[in-house]
Amino acid sequence: TLVKEISDEIERMLGSKMKSVKVRPWTTVGCCAFDYYNAMLINTMDDEGNSIDLGGEFPLEENEHFNKLSVNTLQSDIQVPTNVYNKDPDILNGVYMSEALNDVFINNFQKDPTLTWQYFGSSTGFFRLYPGIKWTPDPNGVVAFDCRNRNWYIQAATSPKDIIIVVDVSGSMKGLKMTIAKHTINTILDTLGENDFVNVIAYTDYVRYVEPCFKGTLVQADLDNREHFKLLVNELQVKGEGEVKKAMKEAFKILNEVSGSLCNQAIMLITDGAMEDFQTVFEEFNWPEKKVRVFTYLIGRDMTFSDNVKWIACNNKGYYTHINTLADVQENVMEYLHVLSRPMVINHDHDIIWTEAYMDTVLFNTMAHSLLLMTSVAMPVFSKKKETLSHGILLGVVGTDVPLIEVMMLAPIYKKRLKPKPNYNSVDLSEVEWEDTEEILRTAMVKGETGTLTLDVRAAVDKGKRPLFLKNDYFYTVIDETPFSFGMVLTRGHGEYIFFGNVSVEEGLHDLMQPDLTIANEWTYCETDIDPHHRKLTQLQAVVRYLTGKEPELECDEVLLQQLLFDAVVTAPLEAYWTALMLNAPGVDPGVETVFLGTRSGLMRVIRYEGTEKRVAEKFLTPADKSNLFTVDHFPVWYRLAAEYPPGRFLYYMPTDDLYKGTVFTNLASNGLSPIFFYHLKMFAYSCVHKFINHHGDMFDILSLSHHLLWPSLSNPPCIHHPRCIPSSHCHLTAKSFHAMYSFCFMVCFLLRSLVWCEPFLILLLESPTLAHKQKKVELMQPCDTEYPGFIYDATITETNSIIKCGRCQKMFVMQAVRNSNLVMLVVQADCDCSRQYSNLVLNATEHNATVKCNRMKSQKIRRRPESCHAYHPHVRPYLAGLHVNQADYLAD
C-alpha cells in the first residue's frame, strides 16, 4: 500500500510535468516586431554605455527555486552556440516564430510553481530558455552547448536507431581530412542516446572494428560506450588503399543479423571518395526495400568522387553532405536527424518522451556549480504547412526538466531513503542491487510488474569503508502513463516499526525551540516550494509558523511532525543533564568535546564541551559535514552504524575523512530505542599511530595480521562491488607508496605505548590518492566493474594469539576483544621486520579484466523499449535542406 501511495503521487507529479510540454498551437503576435534577448549579450554595454545589439536591459533577480541563480521569471531568452551565427535568417525567423512560447512558459509556471527549467530547442540550433538567465561562456569565450546534442532533443526528434559508422582510413585521408573525419564520428556519437545502438568500422583494403571486442555486433549507445568509442577513434591511423565495398558488406551483415533498437537502421559512410563498383552491395543487401538508410559525408575539398558518394545516399533513402572544414561538421551531421524524423512528422505523432536519469550542470556551463540529478520530459514540434508536411519538417523540441529530488520529496525520508549516485549518469539496476544475481528484481521492474522480493545484502557505508549485513524487502510497481517503475526497499530490524506518542503542540514547540536542537533542513516537514513567499523559510521556521497558526496554508507532513514533537519532548531532559555535567564537579571527563543524539524524525541535539578553537574536529556536525548529518539521501554514518549494532553495547566509530585534518578521534555510541546517543572523544595517539604506520614498513605487519586473524575466520570472504578503478599505476602497494594512499588498512589502529587498539569492523578498500600530498598530481578514478575482498572481524573470536614467521625471525601477536564494544586490543612483538616478506602481499581491487569489460559493454540486458517506432512512411518525399517555414507553420497539440 505504501508503494502504491507513493507511486500514485509520483504519477500525479510527472503528469503535471507532461502537461507543461503539451503546448497548444502558437499564434502570431503582431506583424514584425519581436524580442530577441541573446543570453550571452544581455545587460552588456558598449564603450559609450549603450546596450549592444541583441543585448538590452534584462532584469535578473536571485531566485531560491532556481538554485539561487539570478533569473527573469517574466521573460525567456535565447542561447546560440558559438558555431552558429546568431543573426542567421533561420535563427531570426525561428526566434520570431517561437516568441509565443514565452507566455506559455510563464502560464505553466504560474499553474505549477514546482516547475523548473522550460525550454524549446530549435532544429536550427538556438535554444529558448525560461526563466531567462545570463549565459557565461567558457574561459576561451566559447559556448559549446548545443541543444540538439541533448538526450531530450535526440530522443524526441527521432525514434530509436541502429547506427553503423563506416570510416575511411586509407592513405588519402591523412592530415586535416582525418581530423575532420574523427570530429564527424564524435559528433555522430553525440547524437545517440540510451535507446540507440552503434558500432564503428574502419576500412582500407580490409575491414577492422575500432573495438575488436564488438566485432559483428551492436552495442547500446550509452555514455560509457560512446566515450569508449571516442578514445579509440582518436587513435586511428591512415594507411593503404580504401575499398568501401567490403566495409559496406560488413555493415549490412550486422544490421541484418543483430537485434538492436528494432526500429531505424542507418549506415554513416565517412570518406573522401568511392571509386570501385559498389552497386552490387546494395542490390544484395538493401534493395528493393531499402530498410537501411545510408548517409554519406564527403570529407575535404576534392570533389572528384562526389557524384559517387551522393549516389550512394540518394539511392538508399539517406542524405549526402560535403564537409570541407571542422566548422562544417556540426550542422551537416544534424541533417540526418531531420531525415529520420520525417515519418514521425508526417504521421503527426507527438510522442512524449522521458530521458533516463542523468547528472547535469542544470543544462549548461552557467550553472556548473549546481549539479542536479534529473530527468527530462520532451515532445517534438512540427511544421503544419501542407507543402512542408510531405517533407516532414521538424521545427524543434519543447521540454522541461524534472529534478529527481522532487521524487525523493514524495517519499517520506523516515519511511524510505532514495539516494542518487553522485556524478553518475544512468546506472543500471544490476549495478546497484548486485545481490540480485538472477536479475529477478530487474526483469520484473523492466516489464512493469508489481510484486515483492527479499534479499540478503551487504551494504557499504562511510564511503565504502564499513559494511552492513542486512535483509532487505523490495516492493515495486509501475508508474502509469510513464516509462518508469517505482521500487522501495525496507530493511528488516531497525526502523521496521514506528513508535507514536501523544504530546501537546505547546509542549512540543517549547522543547523544539531550544538552542541545542536542530532538525534536518533537507527533509520536507513542510512544503516551502509551492508559495514563493515560503521559499526563504528554513524547515524549522516553517514548522514553527505552521504549528503556531501563523502560516496555516503551509502543507506539512502531520505524521512526521507528530514524531518530531514527541522526540523533542522525550529528549529534552538530556539537555539539562548534559549541561549539569559541564557545570558541576567533577565535570566532564577530559577528552570529551561533543555530546549529541539523533532520532529517526531527523531531530538532533548537540552540546559542545569545547570551543571551536580547541576542538580537534572543528567542522564535525557543521553544515560542511554532510556525511554525519541527516540529509535528503541518507541518515548520518554514525546513526546507521549504531542502528544496526546490538543494543546495550558501545560502538566506537572513527571517521577518517579529510574534514578532520587527519587527526584520529572516535565516537562512542549507544543504541537506544529510538534516539542514538554519542559522545565525541579526542584520542591523543595520532603521532604514535603515524610513526607506527610509517616506521620500517610496519604497515605490512597489519596486512600480515589481517591475513592471520581474518581469513581463517571467514570461509567465504564477502566481496564489495565498486564501479570505479584506480589507474593501474597505483595498483601496487609498497611500504614507500603507502603514505600516498588515503585509506588502505581494514582497521584503524591506535598505538598506546606497546598496545594497538583497533576498530576491526572496516573493509579493505584501496582508494585513489585524491587526499594525499597536495603537491602531487591527482589522477581521476576510471569507470569499471570492480570487486574488492571485504575483511570483517569475526566477533566470536574473543581472544587469540599466534606467531608470524618472517624469514630468519618470527614475531608473536596477541589479540583480545574489548567486551561490550567493537574494539580489540592487539599486542605485537616489534623486534622482527616482516616488511620484505609481505611487500608483495598487495590486496588490490581485482584488476581490470578485458574479457569481463568486453562482455559488460556489449551485453544487452532486457530493457523497456519505447512504445512507438517511426521508421517508414509511404508519402515521404525527398528531404529539402534549408526549407523555410514561418510563424503559422508551428504545430503542437
Side-chain angles (χ1 to χ4, degrees):
T1 56
L2 180 57
V3 171
K4 181 61 176 170
E5 289 176 7
I6 298 175
S7 66
D8 288 346
E9 286 291 326
I10 296 175
E11 181 185 340
R12 282 190 287 271
M13 185 270 288
L14 297 182
S16 69
K17 310 305 180 187
M18 287 190 285
K19 288 181 181 178
S20 69
V21 302
K22 293 181 179 179
V23 294
R24 297 189 176 278
W26 310 350
T27 56
T28 306
V29 181
C31 173
C32 302
F34 65 100
D35 292 324
Y36 178 3
Y37 292 102
N38 188 295
M40 251 187 78
L41 304 178
I42 57 173
N43 299 331
T44 303
M45 305 295 179
D46 59 21
D47 294 337
E48 298 179 358
N50 300 316
S51 296
I52 64 174
D53 192 23
L54 302 184
E57 184 179 353
F58 195 81
L60 298 172
E61 183 178 353
E62 183 178 300
N63 192 301
E64 183 81 19
H65 181 64
F66 293 96
N67 304 89
K68 297 183 178 179
L69 294 166
S70 296
V71 300
N72 185 332
T73 56
L74 299 178
Q75 182 71 48
S76 60
D77 59 4
I78 305 296
Q79 178 268 340
V80 182
T82 299
N83 66 314
V84 177
Y85 179 43
N86 57 25
K87 284 189 177 181
D88 183 280
D90 287 341
I91 298 294
L92 294 175
N93 190 34
V95 172
Y96 165 60
M97 289 186 294
S98 64
E99 186 179 28
L101 273 178
N102 193 67
D103 292 335
V104 174
F105 291 154
I106 294 173
N107 186 52
N108 286 342
F109 188 53
Q110 290 174 344
K111 290 180 178 179
D112 182 4
T114 67
L115 279 174
T116 55
W117 308 99
Q118 300 177 73
Y119 40 80
F120 169 70
S122 168
S123 61
T124 59
F126 76 83
F127 180 61
R128 180 178 288 276
L129 177 67
Y130 174 86
I133 190 169
K134 176 74 173 178
W135 204 288
T136 304
D138 67 19
N140 298 318
V142 175
V143 175
F145 178 88
D146 191 320
C147 62
R148 296 168 296 180
N149 286 337
R150 311 306 287 178
N151 269 347
W152 51 266
Y153 185 97
I154 295 166
Q155 293 184 32
T158 64
S159 293
K161 48 197 174 291
D162 300 333
I163 301 292
I164 303 291
I165 302 174
V166 179
V167 57
D168 182 353
V169 292
S170 63
S172 63
M173 289 285 290
K174 66 180 179 180
L176 180 60
K177 287 183 181 179
M178 197 64 223
T179 302
I180 295 173
K182 291 178 179 180
H183 185 41
T184 302
I185 296 173
N186 291 340
T187 304
I188 293 172
L189 291 171
D190 286 338
T191 65
L192 305 180
E194 298 279 336
N195 294 324
D196 304 320
F197 289 79
V198 66
N199 207 335
V200 182
I201 296 175
Y203 73 91
T204 52
D205 54 350
Y206 66 95
V207 175
R208 68 182 181 91
Y209 287 81
V210 171
E211 171 54 83
C213 162
F214 299 158
K215 182 177 181 179
T217 191
L218 290 164
V219 296
Q220 187 179 5
D222 57 25
L223 180 64
D224 287 344
N225 286 343
R226 296 198 307 269
E227 293 303 314
H228 183 65
F229 274 126
K230 289 180 182 180
L231 292 174
L232 298 174
V233 165
N234 189 53
E235 298 173 359
L236 289 175
Q237 302 293 326
V238 298
K239 64 176 181 179
E241 297 180 356
E243 295 182 13
V244 70
K245 190 173 181 179
K246 294 179 182 178
M248 296 300 287
K249 279 186 177 182
E250 187 69 16
F252 276 116
K253 286 180 180 179
I254 296 174
L255 294 175
N256 288 339
E257 297 172 3
V258 179
S259 297
S261 68
L262 304 179
C263 193
N264 286 296
Q265 292 185 319
I267 297 173
M268 325 296 274
L269 176 61
I270 302 169
T271 181
D272 64 345
M275 293 178 287
E276 79 271 23
D277 177 21
F278 40 74
Q279 181 172 334
T280 56
V281 178
F282 305 115
E283 292 174 347
E284 179 181 357
F285 292 98
N286 204 36
W287 294 353
E289 293 87 356
K290 299 181 181 180
K291 292 182 179 179
V292 178
R293 298 179 186 269
V294 182
F295 297 88
T296 56
Y297 302 87
L298 182 65
I299 306 298
R301 298 178 183 274
D302 190 353
M303 302 289 289
T304 304
F305 302 102
S306 62
D307 289 342
N308 290 348
V309 178
K310 184 182 297 183
W311 183 93
I312 292 174
C314 294
N315 285 277
N316 290 278
K317 297 170 60 177
Y319 189 80
Y320 157 82
T321 59
H322 178 214
I323 302 178
N324 193 26
T325 67
L326 287 170
D328 297 335
V329 172
Q330 181 75 23
E331 294 306 310
N332 281 292
V333 166
M334 289 299 164
E335 296 291 353
Y336 96 90
L337 293 177
H338 299 158
V339 176
L340 294 185
S341 70
R342 281 187 280 174
M344 176 176 60
V345 175
I346 296 173
N347 279 330
H348 286 183
D349 291 317
H350 295 273
D351 295 337
I352 290 182
I353 64 95
W354 289 88
T355 67
E356 71 282 356
Y358 62 96
M359 188 71 71
D360 203 1
T361 58
V362 196
L363 297 177
F364 40 80
N365 185 57
T366 298
M367 294 176 279
H369 62 281
S370 303
L371 289 171
L372 285 179
L373 188 65
M374 65 179 64
T375 183
S376 299
V377 57
M379 185 184 74
V381 179
F382 313 135
S383 169
K384 67 178 182 179
K385 195 173 181 180
K386 289 184 178 180
E387 53 266 38
T388 63
L389 282 179
S390 60
H391 297 294
I393 303 302
L394 172 73
L395 301 178
V397 174
V398 63
T400 185
D401 282 344
V402 183
L404 292 192
I405 193 72
E406 290 195 37
V407 178
M408 297 179 198
M409 295 301 186
L410 297 176
I413 192 79
Y414 59 95
K415 296 178 182 176
K416 173 178 175 295
R417 293 196 297 277
L418 288 172
K419 182 171 182 176
K421 293 282 185 180
N423 303 319
Y424 281 82
N425 286 305
S426 183
V427 180
D428 194 277
L429 185 61
S430 61
E431 299 286 335
V432 180
E433 299 296 343
W434 42 266
E435 285 92 349
D436 183 25
T437 54
E438 298 181 4
E439 298 193 354
I440 299 173
L441 176 64
R442 184 188 183 282
T443 301
M445 294 189 70
V446 167
K447 290 183 176 180
E449 297 175 356
T450 298
T452 63
L453 179 69
T454 299
L455 292 174
D456 292 315
V457 301
R458 288 158 287 184
V461 296
D462 196 14
K463 298 182 180 179
K465 299 182 183 68
R466 294 172 172 82
L468 294 176
F469 292 83
L470 310 170
K471 183 176 286 292
N472 285 349
D473 291 319
Y474 297 81
F475 306 86
Y476 50 88
T477 189
V478 68
I479 301 176
D480 295 331
E481 306 300 326
T482 77
F484 301 121
S485 287
F486 171 71
M488 185 175 71
V489 186
L490 294 179
T491 300
R492 296 184 185 180
H494 174 77
E496 190 172 356
Y497 301 102
I498 299 176
F499 185 83
F500 287 100
N502 287 325
V503 296
S504 66
V505 173
E506 293 76 13
E507 186 181 12
L509 271 174
H510 174 270
D511 292 322
L512 203 60
M513 298 300 293
Q514 299 307 307
D516 69 310
L517 186 147
T518 60
I519 65 174
N521 198 52
E522 292 187 13
W523 290 18
T524 304
Y525 298 87
C526 294
E527 181 58 69
T528 58
D529 208 33
I530 297 177
D531 189 332
H533 296 95
H534 296 151
R535 288 175 183 158
K536 294 184 179 180
L537 296 176
T538 66
Q539 282 297 307
L540 183 57
Q541 290 171 338
V543 167
V544 172
R545 294 184 70 83
Y546 174 74
L547 293 176
T548 56
K550 295 180 179 179
E551 300 283 355
E553 69 279 6
L554 275 168
E555 296 183 13
C556 298
D557 191 317
E558 298 287 349
V559 175
L560 184 55
L561 289 186
Q562 184 181 2
Q563 292 185 58
L564 179 66
L565 293 177
F566 178 77
D567 289 349
V569 171
V570 298
T571 61
L574 283 173
E575 188 272 338
Y577 171 70
W578 289 337
T579 303
L581 285 178
M582 182 170 53
L583 299 177
N584 302 325
V588 180
D589 292 338
V592 177
E593 61 179 46
T594 303
V595 60
F596 55 99
L597 70 84
T599 74
R600 63 181 298 160
S601 65
L603 175 146
M604 283 188 64
R605 288 186 180 272
V606 180
I607 294 290
R608 304 286 192 181
Y609 290 140
E610 296 279 7
T612 305
E613 67 284 351
K614 293 183 179 181
R615 288 203 300 270
V616 172
E618 58 187 32
K619 294 183 180 179
F620 183 64
L621 297 183
T622 66
D625 186 15
K626 289 286 188 180
S627 64
N628 285 304
L629 297 177
F630 291 93
T631 68
V632 71
D633 60 9
H634 67 251
F635 279 55
V637 174
W638 48 266
Y639 189 101
R640 289 203 64 188
L641 291 173
E644 302 299 335
Y645 201 65
R649 299 178 63 187
F650 292 106
L651 172 75
Y652 289 81
Y653 157 57
M654 293 168 278
T656 54
D657 200 291
D658 64 323
L659 189 65
Y660 309 109
K661 300 179 180 178
T663 303
V664 179
F665 64 95
T666 186
N667 294 294
L668 178 61
S670 174
N671 182 353
L673 179 63
S674 174
I676 305 295
F677 302 92
F678 265 85
Y679 288 93
H680 178 200
L681 310 174
K682 295 179 184 177
M683 298 297 285
F684 300 99
Y686 174 66
S687 60
C688 298
V689 176
H690 185 85
K691 292 177 182 177
F692 173 72
I693 291 178
N694 291 280
H695 181 62
H696 299 304
D698 281 347
M699 188 61 223
F700 294 99
D701 290 345
I702 297 181
L703 295 180
S704 62
L705 286 170
S706 71
H707 180 85
H708 281 74
L709 283 173
L710 301 184
W711 275 333
S713 63
L714 291 174
S715 58
N716 184 22
C719 291
I720 306 300
H721 291 251
H722 202 271
R724 292 179 293 171
C725 286
I726 301 155
S728 57
S729 59
H730 297 292
C731 284
H732 296 285
L733 187 68
T734 65
K736 184 177 180 180
S737 67
F738 172 78
H739 190 65
M741 299 297 173
Y742 171 46
S743 176
F744 181 80
C745 184
F746 70 97
M747 45 190 172
V748 179
C749 299
F750 300 93
L751 180 66
L752 302 178
R753 297 183 182 176
S754 62
L755 302 182
V756 181
W757 294 83
C758 299
E759 176 195 1
F761 200 60
L762 292 173
I763 67 168
L764 174 71
L765 177 59
L766 183 63
E767 294 186 349
S768 175
T770 305
L771 304 176
H773 301 293
K774 293 183 179 180
Q775 63 268 28
K776 293 187 178 181
K777 183 179 179 180
V778 174
E779 293 191 49
L780 297 176
M781 299 185 85
Q782 302 169 352
C784 69
D785 281 341
T786 311
E787 186 176 88
Y788 296 91
F791 294 90
I792 301 169
Y793 173 67
D794 188 345
T796 62
I797 302 177
T798 57
E799 60 179 294
T800 188
N801 63 81
S802 185
I803 293 175
I804 304 171
K805 294 182 179 181
C806 302
R808 297 182 179 179
C809 65
Q810 61 183 23
K811 62 169 55 183
M812 183 177 68
F813 71 87
V814 178
M815 188 277 293
Q816 175 73 53
V818 179
R819 295 177 60 185
N820 297 323
S821 79
N822 61 321
L823 296 181
V824 297
M825 182 180 71
L826 185 62
V827 182
V828 184
Q829 186 177 349
D831 57 358
C832 178
D833 184 5
C834 292
S835 61
R836 186 169 298 178
Q837 176 175 345
Y838 288 97
S839 61
N840 294 322
L841 180 60
V842 185
L843 304 175
N844 294 338
T846 303
E847 285 199 349
H848 209 64
N849 184 291
T851 302
V852 173
K853 175 185 177 182
C854 172
N855 291 337
R856 182 190 68 82
M857 295 185 75
K858 68 180 183 181
S859 65
Q860 294 190 24
K861 297 177 179 291
I862 181 174
R863 54 196 302 271
R864 188 178 301 176
R865 300 177 184 273
E867 295 181 356
S868 61
C869 170
H870 307 286
Y872 171 77
H873 195 284
H875 298 145
V876 170
R877 291 170 57 187
Y879 176 71
L880 301 180
L883 185 64
H884 293 282
V885 291
N886 55 42
Q887 172 76 29
D889 293 334
Y890 272 53
L891 173 71
D893 283 337

